[in-house]
Amino acid sequence: MNLWRSQRAFSSLSKPPISLSQLNNLLQQCSKSKSLNQGKQIHPQIILNASDQNTFMITKLIQLYADCDDFVAANKLFDKLPQPNVFLWTAILAYYSRHEMYRKCIESYCEMKMSGVLPDGYVFPKVLRASAQLLCFETGICVHKDLIVCGCEFYLVVCNSLIDMHERCGEFMSMRKAFDGMVGRDLLSWNLMISVYVSNAMFELGLEILNCMRLDGFEPDAVTWNMIMDGYCRMGRCDEALKIFEHSEETNIISWTILISGYSRIGQHESSLRIFKDMLNTGTVLPDLDCLSSALVSCRHLGALM
């Protein structure tokens, strides 16, 4: 039914001009479904309606092109605007971030500020991600100052991006300070902190965060328990990880692989292969390359072929 309605809407483009609200709805549909060709059919209709002088419609059109990765068309329209607004800058920054063009993302952010446009809560995560990927801690600190000035320091998605930036740059003290200063947290915030501590050999701090998380009313999900299992295995305490696994309601290839690789790493190859066989016997989980690699290591050490 939705497809039929969309086809009818697009067929109407060959008829007399349609309203701005209809054009806007069509642009939004195209952006959401990444339908570039259908979006290009709307562009002439916008010109026909003289809506190409309407900043709101041009903003939507640029967002469509950027979302559909037609950056040439998006940039061509962008350059024609005398004063692009924050929504347009966000579309451009999102494109650069999505395509790992992190230096361009930061450069565009600086251009936006120079033009007098204030960033908002949608801009900061993209620039913080670029800073994190480039390990540009000084840039990240400058962005941190900007987001405080703009009143976005308590936005959840901004705070999570800020934590990620500090961690990737190896600034664990300032990362913890940012986390402790959060007014509200979600499951991602807690999992992010646990992941940082597990990955950086600070498992006891990860367990501390787990306890605080539960006291704060958040129940661990499969991702949380996988990270805790991984932490135990990294410390050679695979039996502790196995206890968590056996009480888990939801298991997947990641949790199986954590156990298989964990036991293999500490030389308990019989246990590693036993768990591998148990996984195969479930008939619901297929081994991936990481899982197979760990199992083969144990096979080699035991001189066994499965």
Side-chain angles (χ1 to χ4, degrees), residues 18 36 74 86 112 151 165 168 170 172 192 208 230 244 274:
I18 57 179
L36 179 60
V86 69
M112 181 189 75
M165 185 275 295
R168 287 180 181 271
F172 301 114
L192 185 57
E208 176 189 304
D230 186 37
I244 294 174
R274 175 180 55 78

Side-chain angles (χ1 to χ4, degrees), residues 43 47 87 165 179 201 235:
H43 195 160
I47 296 173
F87 303 108
M165 185 275 295
F179 177 79
M235 295 181 67

Side-chain angles (χ1 to χ4, degrees), residues 6-298:
S6 295
Q7 289 174 338
R8 286 200 62 188
F10 282 106
S11 67
S12 69
L13 294 178
S14 60
K15 296 176 182 178
I18 57 179
S19 70
L20 289 182
S21 62
Q22 288 176 304
L23 289 171
N24 178 43
N25 288 334
L26 288 172
L27 285 172
Q28 288 180 329
Q29 288 179 34
C30 291
S31 289
K32 183 179 278 190
S33 61
K34 310 294 186 215
S35 303
L36 179 60
N37 290 333
Q38 290 177 321
K40 285 182 175 179
Q41 296 176 39
I42 303 173
H43 195 160
Q45 188 72 25
I46 290 174
I47 296 173
L48 183 64
N49 277 24
S51 302
D52 57 332
Q53 305 302 316
N54 185 311
T55 304
F56 175 79
M57 292 304 300
I58 293 301
T59 297
K60 289 292 185 181
L61 193 56
I62 292 174
Q63 287 176 331
L64 162 72
Y65 284 132
D67 287 345
C68 294
D69 293 336
D70 188 346
F71 191 67
V72 173
N75 204 43
K76 186 176 179 181
L77 285 172
F78 183 86
D79 288 340
K80 289 181 179 179
L81 293 174
Q83 185 63 49
N85 57 32
V86 69
F87 303 108
L88 288 175
W89 282 106
T90 301
I92 299 299
L93 293 170
Y95 175 88
Y96 285 139
S97 178
R98 191 165 60 249
H99 290 274
E100 301 180 359
M101 302 167 68
Y102 301 121
R103 292 197 183 280
K104 289 293 293 180
C105 184
I106 291 174
E107 288 170 5
S108 294
Y109 173 73
C110 293
E111 289 177 27
M112 181 189 75
K113 289 207 307 175
M114 290 290 289
S115 71
V117 176
L118 285 177
D120 62 11
Y122 294 97
V123 166
F124 289 120
K126 297 164 181 59
V127 188
L128 286 169
R129 179 169 184 258
S131 303
Q133 293 295 328
L134 295 173
L135 303 180
C136 292
F137 186 60
E138 290 185 3
T139 302
I141 289 297
C142 291
V143 177
H144 191 175
K145 292 177 181 176
D146 289 346
L147 66 89
I148 292 173
V149 170
C150 295
C152 296
E153 68 269 34
F154 299 125
Y155 287 26
L156 190 54
V157 66
V158 173
C159 291
N160 286 340
S161 299
L162 193 60
I163 291 170
D164 181 60
M165 185 275 295
H166 282 286
E167 183 272 327
R168 287 180 181 271
C169 293
E171 300 291 335
F172 301 114
M173 295 282 287
S174 55
M175 173 201 72
R176 183 59 184 265
K177 186 177 179 181
F179 177 79
D180 289 341
M182 292 176 69
V183 173
R185 304 182 183 96
D186 60 4
L187 190 58
L188 176 61
S189 311
W190 293 104
N191 281 347
L192 185 57
M193 290 297 293
I194 294 171
S195 173
V196 169
Y197 287 136
V198 168
S199 301
N200 290 280
M202 294 181 278
F203 183 53
E204 293 303 323
L205 289 175
L207 290 177
E208 176 189 304
I209 292 293
L210 175 65
N211 291 331
C212 292
M213 168 185 174
R214 303 187 85 169
L215 287 172
D216 205 35
F218 286 88
E219 279 303 311
D221 63 357
V223 174
T224 314
W225 288 125
N226 282 344
M227 290 188 294
I228 296 299
M229 285 172 55
D230 186 37
Y232 277 123
C233 287
R234 285 170 184 250
M235 295 181 67
R237 296 162 60 183
C238 296
D239 290 345
E240 296 288 335
L242 182 59
K243 289 178 184 176
I244 294 174
F245 180 84
E246 289 174 341
H247 288 88
S248 297
E249 295 181 2
E250 181 184 349
T251 59
N252 52 36
I253 184 58
I254 297 173
S255 49
W256 284 102
T257 301
I258 287 170
L259 286 176
I260 293 165
S261 61
Y263 278 110
S264 179
R265 227 174 10 247
I266 62 174
Q268 294 191 25
H269 300 296
E270 294 90 349
S271 296
S272 176
L273 292 180
R274 175 180 55 78
I275 293 169
F276 181 70
K277 289 177 181 177
D278 288 344
M279 183 192 75
L280 294 180
N281 287 336
T282 65
T284 59
V285 181
L286 293 176
D288 60 11
L289 286 177
D290 290 334
C291 182
L292 287 171
S293 296
S294 297
L296 286 171
V297 168
S298 290

